[in-house]
Amino acid sequence: TSINYLGKDRSEYPEWMMRWHYSDDQDFIEYLSTLVHEIESRCREDQLNLISSEMFTMYGGMSHRQADRIHSVIPSAKIILVLRDPINRMKSFYKFNVEHEGFHLPLEECIDWKSLPYVFYKRKPIYLPDFYYDNIIQSYCKQFGEENLCLLRFEDLTEKPKQFFAELAEFIGEDFNYELNKAMLCQKENASSTDLKTHQIRRKNLVHTAAKGLGIPFSSNEIEDIDLSSPVMPDPLRDRIINQLSGRCAGYYV
């Protein structure tokens, strides 16, 4: 059985998926019947229908809402949730946003350490409860049942891919020939920047942000304060994050 993939690809982010993720609650309610019809029209009875998007695990404390919305649209869905070590995921998210979204503050200053109900645009970009995997897993179990949830780990995908795909194949009830697809699966995309490159881009972002805000060329000791030799996540910060995440991350930190 082949897979009928629905959703985002390299060149397109369908409007129906955008509204599924991002619309406010009122718009989602009004659009729900149209969305259900849209998905039903795209599904194939003779194929496995797969809908995938990283925004189902949306940042900003909205993962639980996404679980509710999936259930509203497809209450009989089977859920595949791929987890990644929270420390590595956080660093990757930060580095990506330094490179593509103009972040210039150090990582620690980008973390929202409190679960306060601030409006989204006032919240710091890295919201720590997004990494409390146990809570997210509980939301999906509540909506779909534990038997309909498959938990996989990104680390197994990179280090033990044969085992990873064997577990996935067993869950969806289909055979998967790993050796036949090995070459394609070993391709790597979106390689993370080095810490040095991240700091160099932060310097450029700081100059750009300040010059844009002030309307004049920017020169400040703040640029030199970005130590190019320092790690993006120093050990004291790593220890502080792990302390916050311990016992909340599906076994990553106990």
Side-chain angles (χ1 to χ4, degrees):
T1 302
S2 60
I3 292 177
N4 177 36
Y5 176 74
L6 309 174
K8 179 183 178 183
D9 59 31
R10 292 176 182 269
S11 61
E12 181 186 15
Y13 207 147
E15 180 184 357
W16 58 267
M17 177 165 272
M18 291 279 285
R19 293 184 70 174
W20 191 349
H21 292 318
Y22 295 110
S23 61
D24 62 38
D25 290 342
Q26 184 60 42
D27 181 71
F28 178 75
I29 292 171
E30 294 174 357
Y31 183 64
L32 180 57
S33 61
T34 302
L35 175 60
V36 171
H37 177 74
E38 179 79 32
I39 293 174
E40 288 178 346
S41 69
R42 295 170 179 268
C43 287
R44 302 289 179 265
E45 292 186 0
D46 60 339
Q47 293 179 296
L48 287 172
N49 297 288
L50 173 65
I51 302 175
S52 177
S53 171
E54 70 273 17
M55 295 314 297
F56 282 130
T57 52
M58 189 181 294
Y59 284 97
M62 299 178 68
S63 294
H64 303 283
R65 180 182 296 179
Q66 292 296 307
D68 293 341
R69 289 189 174 191
I70 295 173
H71 189 266
S72 296
V73 178
I74 314 174
S76 60
K78 290 181 175 291
I79 305 299
I80 301 167
L81 187 59
V82 181
L83 305 177
R84 183 180 185 182
D85 183 294
I87 295 291
N88 293 333
R89 180 185 170 205
M90 190 179 299
K91 287 174 62 178
S92 176
F93 176 80
Y94 173 75
K95 288 183 173 184
F96 179 89
N97 281 281
V98 168
E99 186 168 353
H100 298 281
E101 299 296 334
F103 281 21
H104 61 83
L105 294 172
L107 173 57
E108 186 165 11
E109 293 184 37
C110 293
I111 298 174
D112 191 325
W113 298 89
K114 301 177 181 179
S115 303
L116 296 177
Y118 291 136
V119 290
F120 186 78
Y121 62 84
K122 289 186 177 181
R123 182 177 288 160
K124 292 182 179 181
I126 299 177
Y127 184 55
L128 208 59
D130 286 331
F131 300 85
Y132 297 166
Y133 294 157
D134 286 3
N135 291 345
I136 297 171
I137 292 168
Q138 185 177 15
S139 292
Y140 280 102
C141 286
K142 178 181 178 181
Q143 293 287 9
F144 299 95
E146 186 175 353
E147 69 280 5
N148 292 314
L149 177 62
C150 177
L151 291 177
L152 300 171
R153 293 179 181 250
F154 175 79
E155 293 76 24
D156 289 338
L157 175 61
T158 58
E159 298 170 11
K160 298 181 287 187
K162 194 169 185 179
Q163 174 183 319
F164 178 96
F165 285 102
E167 292 178 14
L168 177 59
E170 181 179 2
F171 178 72
I172 64 177
E174 295 290 334
D175 293 329
F176 181 81
N177 190 324
Y178 172 75
E179 296 300 329
L180 185 64
N181 294 280
K182 185 176 181 179
M184 177 187 68
L185 297 172
C186 289
Q187 296 178 17
K188 186 173 182 179
E189 298 190 24
N190 297 327
S192 182
S193 300
T194 63
D195 286 11
L196 171 61
K197 183 178 179 181
T198 297
H199 289 318
Q200 290 172 333
I201 298 173
R202 279 182 58 209
R203 283 188 171 187
K204 294 179 181 179
N205 292 345
L206 176 59
V207 173
H208 176 77
T209 300
K212 183 178 179 181
L214 298 174
I216 58 175
F218 179 73
S219 177
S220 171
N221 289 333
E222 289 181 75
I223 296 176
E224 300 303 323
D225 287 342
I226 299 177
D227 182 1
L228 297 180
S229 64
S230 64
V232 164
M233 184 180 289
D235 287 342
L237 175 58
R238 179 186 177 88
D239 292 342
R240 183 184 177 190
I241 295 170
I242 289 177
N243 183 61
Q244 289 286 109
L245 298 180
S246 292
R248 298 175 168 180
C249 295
Y252 276 103
Y253 305 110
V254 295

